Amino acid sequence: MALDTRTDRRPSFAGVLWRSTVGKKMAMAVSGIVMLLYLVAHMLGNLKIFFGALDFNGYAAWLRTIGEPFLHHEWFLWIVRVVLVVAVVTHAVAAYQLSRRDTAARPTAYSHRRRRASYATRTMRWGGVILGLFIVWHILDLTTLTVNPRAESGHPYENAVASFSTWYSATIYLVAMLALGLHIRHGFWSAAQTLGANRPGLDRPLKGLANGLAALLTLGFIAVPVSVLTGVVS
């Protein structure tokens, strides 16, 4: 007689949490905050382009030496990239699964009268799609230099100017940054609600902070291509 070697395995807490709606919303909130912190640092770094090629290229070179000698050359950048990939994938998968779950929960009897998605929902959904496509373009443009018309390895200032000197690259960037601003405006407030920060008396300050961050990041990011197009940066 064969022995049953199977053992009952209890699902892990992380697995149970991920499968729940609350868990997916928390994953979106935390991953969104990670990306927001990166965006603030990235924007501040981008603004160094206004100090000229020497400063901007020096800043780009310094990023590759962070953590040395404890970390090897460029290890810090790769750690950041891995964390960002995990955050982006987690955010996108959770958003997709929550959307599917919301659709499946709608009563079949009322399928002919589907509710119109709210403005915020449409903005988050399509903004996420736009930003996902932009990330791919941005990597091909200024990281791998695949689509940059006059790219030169090791010269980030010159590569940025070359990219934003073309109308199509500048347009792609501007549209994506406007989508980013709207995404942050709605996403920050949603994350605050998920993490329980929307307590009485905090609603208005949180909404103000969300609007301020969205405006600051949008203006900070679009300042670079606009300045290249207008000749302020060349």
Side-chain angles (χ1 to χ4, degrees):
M1 181 176 178
L3 296 176
D4 188 355
T5 58
R6 292 177 300 176
T7 57
D8 293 331
R9 293 183 179 179
R10 293 184 178 181
S12 66
F13 174 76
V16 172
L17 186 63
W18 171 254
R19 286 191 289 272
S20 69
T21 298
V22 172
K24 292 183 189 300
K25 289 183 176 180
M26 288 182 64
M28 282 193 69
V30 173
S31 59
I33 290 173
V34 170
M35 290 186 287
L36 180 60
L37 292 173
Y38 168 77
L39 287 170
V40 172
H42 188 42
M43 180 203 68
L44 292 174
N46 282 1
L47 294 178
K48 291 185 72 66
I49 200 169
F50 291 103
F51 294 94
L54 186 63
D55 273 24
F56 191 76
N57 289 341
Y59 162 72
W62 169 76
L63 288 176
R64 287 159 172 75
T65 65
I66 294 177
E68 291 184 355
F70 180 73
L71 297 177
H72 287 288
H73 189 67
E74 291 194 2
W75 273 25
F76 175 79
L77 276 182
W78 280 107
I79 292 171
V80 170
R81 287 166 180 164
V82 170
V83 170
L84 282 174
V85 168
V86 172
V88 169
V89 171
T90 300
H91 201 77
V93 171
Y96 174 75
Q97 292 181 351
L98 283 171
S99 178
R100 290 290 300 271
R101 185 169 292 185
D102 180 61
T103 301
R106 292 171 182 166
T108 306
Y110 297 96
S111 60
H112 63 286
R113 292 188 298 164
R114 290 183 62 183
R115 295 175 298 170
R116 284 176 171 264
S118 67
Y119 168 74
T121 301
R122 292 197 306 272
T123 299
M124 294 297 287
R125 184 177 300 159
W126 290 108
V129 172
I130 291 171
L131 291 172
L133 294 173
F134 170 73
I135 289 172
V136 176
W137 168 266
H138 196 50
I139 291 172
L140 292 174
D141 184 26
L142 293 175
T143 301
T144 66
L145 308 178
T146 306
V147 298
N148 197 315
R150 296 188 297 274
E152 188 177 351
S153 181
H155 294 78
Y157 178 93
E158 292 77 8
N159 293 338
V161 172
S163 174
F164 297 136
S165 295
T166 61
W167 67 268
Y168 56 87
S169 183
T171 300
I172 290 171
Y173 195 90
L174 291 171
V175 171
M177 292 308 101
L178 291 174
L180 175 67
L182 291 173
H183 204 78
I184 291 172
R185 181 172 179 267
H186 296 303
F188 184 88
W189 172 242
S190 179
Q193 289 181 307
T194 298
L195 298 176
N198 59 325
R199 298 174 183 176
L202 289 179
D203 283 2
R204 293 189 67 180
L206 282 172
K207 287 182 178 179
L209 180 59
N211 292 335
L213 277 172
L216 178 66
L217 285 167
T218 302
L219 292 174
F221 278 119
I222 68 175
V224 177
V226 169
S227 296
V228 172
L229 288 171
T230 56
V232 173
V233 173
S234 61

